[in-house]
Amino acid sequence: MVNPGLFSGNKSVNSVKVSFRIPYFTQWGQSLLVCGSVPVLGAWNVKRGVLLSVVHQGSELIWGGSITVPRGFQCQYSYYVVDDKKNVLRCEMGKKRELILPEGVQSGQEVEFRDLWQAASDSLPFRSAFKDVIFRQSWDLSEATVGDNHINFEPEREAVLVQFKISCPNVEKDSSIYVIGSNTKLGQWKAEKGLKLSYFGESVWKAECVMQRSDFPIRYRYGKYDRSGNFSVESGSNREVSTNSTRNDVKYIFLSDGMLRETPWRGAGVAIPMFSVRSESDLGVGEFLDLKLLVDWAVASGFHLVQLLPINDTSVHGMWWDSYPYSSLSVFALHPLYLRVQALSKNIPEEIKKEIEKAKQQLDQKDVDYEATMATKLSIAKKVFAQEKDLILNSSSFQQFFCENEGWLKPYAAFCFLRDFFETSDRSQWGRFAHYSDDKLEKLVSKDSLHYEIICFHYYVQYHLHLQLSEAALYARKKGVILKGDLPIGVDKNSVDTWVYPNLFRMNTSTGAPPDYFDKNGQNWGFPTYNWEEMSKDNYGWWRGRLTQMAKYFTAYRIDHILGFFRIWELPDHAMTGLVGKFRPSIPLSQEELEREGIWDFNRLSRPYIKRELLEEKFGAAWTFVATTFLNEFDKNIYEFKEDSNTEKKIASKLKTCAESSVLLESEEKLRRNLFDLSQNIVLIRDPENPRKFYPRFNLEDTSSFQDLDDHSKNVLKRLYNDYYFCRQENLWRQNALKTLPVLLNSSDMLACGEDLGLIPSCVHPVMQELGLVGLRIQRMPSEADLEFGIPSQYSYMTVCAPSCHDCSTLRAWWEEDEDRRLRFFKNVMESNELPPDQCVPEVAHFIIRQHFEAPSMWAIFPLQDLLALKEEYTTRPATEETINDPTNPKHYWRYRVHVSLESLIKDIDLQTNIKDLVRWSGRSLPKEEASGVDASVVAALSVAEAVTVLSVAEAVSEKQKFSSATEKPVLVK
């Protein structure tokens, strides 16, 4: 490697001119520059990079520039889009480019690097989901012949060496990559005479060819030769390389042609929470080792992916509230609920085996009994631990696990001990342990402590959870199935993470979501919001650690509520509902801004506006009781809340006291809802940290406080409302996401998908596209404002499409919920003027599921409940019982269990064949053992005429892919 610090851009007798050329369409005021690892390219300081100039070439903008370097020069570089002050607006994704001058380049010669912009989506095939799972068997690198970078070229006056380079991550073993084209050196479009490329590792293929200047321009394409001798040429228009006929100094052209253009890969998957799985071996709940059966069923059904909900420990309250999988006790620890106790030891005593069998009978219920299952598993695990603790804790396997995980494992075990000792996770009740320190931790987990065995038990459980999930994850990879995890947006306020890292959280706030499809009153999840400023000080180390941990088991993940990385809906700690919140970060309305618009009565606008007429309307005859108990009359017929009732939590507490005293004239729930409505009857929310800053209340026009304003104030506030929610924040939120999301994406090589449902800012989808994040599309929740139902055939490729998800009703339940909506769907989507069936019969499910299989989306992922709707015998259970979550109920019990075991599903060949046929005919990829040829069982099930047609089509496709003679040419765009 040449020392780059010795050289500058000044031309010398031993210098070589290096030129860069890249097509890229920019907006007005934008430019491209190249920046690299050496001083002449800015040493990764973009401000010092080399600005490129632009020329128009047809409809394209071609950017170019050059530097002078010594012979033997090499470096890394990337392209950037910048504004007129060289501020980075966009940068290339993926790996840095390598620039290595060939040994034979002579002084005074020019080497031109012709590149294509590396978009984030280009790097997706190199994520572990594809590289290590889907394409794992495609190319055995250990047997590949890897080329070298040595180039033999004696430059003549009219000769130019062209190096072709293409990336092709999905190449079957014993296949080859060729380039064919209009030049004789490229076979004049004849595959057998084309230029064969050599493999250079990491899916890169290269070959050099010496051309004469008279040969240019050259049109060409890449293609594959498979082991059967079939040649498939890449799709799209011809590629072209030309050279300036007036210049003779360019002797080398290095083409970086991006990805081989093929039909985009599309796959399918199944989604089910871990706790919902049922098997013949489990104890009342799905267990990690059950994933092996689920993978077997997925492969038999033609699926490449299994998606789970979060699997982290949520044992905060010690009761069924802990069934909520998004409220983590620890973002690193796995949930003991999913432990298979039978697999803890090969030497389980007979009495414990009998206890396990008895528990299996008792816990085999319709739904998960969270508390009984947890208690049973921990009780059995403790007995097995007592028998073999010394053997396990002294084993090399455990020691390695402990060494790799002690950073989170020791605080987790200590927290669990303290939680159980003090009988609460509320650390304010822990005395001197309320505040974490490393010294206190080491004393708690010391081998000399009286409770060391309890600490070790938590180590032991996590160790076995790790072994069992790792076994399932390895099994899935070998079967070609992606395990997709879930990254929750929040953690519980009483968690290990907030105890150890309180500075990373805003503990006096809660996260949630504004009113949307899921809940017209908004949601309050109760998690503290993040202190992003503090997190940034170590480059978001806590997040990076989470992703590193997930990547041990998963090859893809879902980013829960990805909107939270742009901005989060922040609520005060005293709020119970999700309506009266504000976005963080956001640009508030200043008092000066409002005063300039003639808005000045800030107390009137930011305090609950309660008139006697409103009380009488809401509470009827009980209004005097409400006014006396909860309110003070501070002006004639104008009221305000008393000090002991001026927040939602205070209202709820006081109501509970009144209920216990039997003084309520109406139901507690109805009174609470109406009192909350009173407290939310405001127009502006005053910032608790800066009283001169305000935020417009969501849906402020729905309040009587707004309706009683004069017309001028209404017009001003409506305009400012629209500006706050839909205009002024966009750049701020974009910049916020571009600080945080790349850290997540670069922390692992998992495939990342973002749950982008809800109130979506206009900056979200462009940023997701820029970062290569796959979005989510649910048909009943279209992002287009003018559509009632999404149109799967119009979804973009970079999406996951699904008919439902865990946060809404299943396909069957949705169909039955609303007769008028069902009629509109049947008429407008299914294009039938008949009356729809009252229930989601298999024919309806088949139509909707087929729509999603056929969508252009990269992934079609289906809740298992929706797939079971394809067969009548699985629809006997009431559809409403299949619901996983009710977002409107913060205390929802997450306990749904599939009513059929995995073993039974594996035996159900009819259902597997039905699903597999949908996968096959939609053009989606099948697992390797399922993908080749036409399935004989399918042909056998068809009529004779249909079978002949299918086989004819298959043969025609095979023939079309063969490039057989000089007289036959591929369809080319010239």
Side-chain angles (χ1 to χ4, degrees), residues 757-878:
L757 304 178
L759 183 68
I760 306 173
S762 59
C763 63
V764 170
H765 289 154
V767 168
M768 291 182 66
Q769 181 179 358
E770 185 175 334
L771 298 178
L773 281 158
V774 183
L776 176 61
R777 300 292 176 269
I778 306 292
Q779 188 171 26
R780 69 187 72 169
M781 294 177 245
S783 54
E784 300 87 354
D786 59 335
L787 292 180
E788 181 179 15
F789 309 112
I791 306 174
S793 63
Q794 296 180 6
Y795 294 159
S796 68
Y797 175 68
M798 290 290 290
T799 56
V800 170
C801 68
S804 67
C805 66
H806 68 273
D807 276 328
C808 60
S809 52
T810 61
L811 187 54
R812 288 177 59 220
W814 177 80
W815 184 264
E816 297 172 14
E817 284 167 358
D818 188 321
E819 181 180 355
D820 291 337
R821 183 182 62 198
R822 179 169 67 237
L823 185 61
R824 292 193 300 274
F825 186 91
F826 203 60
K827 179 180 180 180
N828 299 327
V829 179
M830 300 185 70
E831 299 181 343
S832 174
N833 290 319
E834 299 180 6
L835 286 176
D838 294 340
Q839 294 185 327
C840 184
V841 295
E843 291 79 8
V844 170
H846 188 277
F847 176 90
I848 296 172
I849 289 171
R850 190 189 71 205
Q851 271 193 314
H852 289 76
F853 273 120
E854 293 176 351
S857 303
M858 179 190 298
W859 288 102
I861 299 178
F862 302 89
L864 182 58
Q865 304 97 301
D866 291 352
L867 294 170
L868 295 181
L870 289 168
K871 194 165 184 180
E872 190 172 0
E873 71 179 80
Y874 297 130
T875 62
T876 55
R877 186 174 182 176

Side-chain angles (χ1 to χ4, degrees), residues 6-17 39-40 66-71:
L6 297 177
F7 304 99
S8 66
N10 296 325
K11 191 170 182 178
S12 68
V13 69
N14 289 317
S15 65
V16 175
K17 184 178 180 181
V40 72
S66 61
I67 57 174
T68 303
V69 300
R71 293 170 57 194

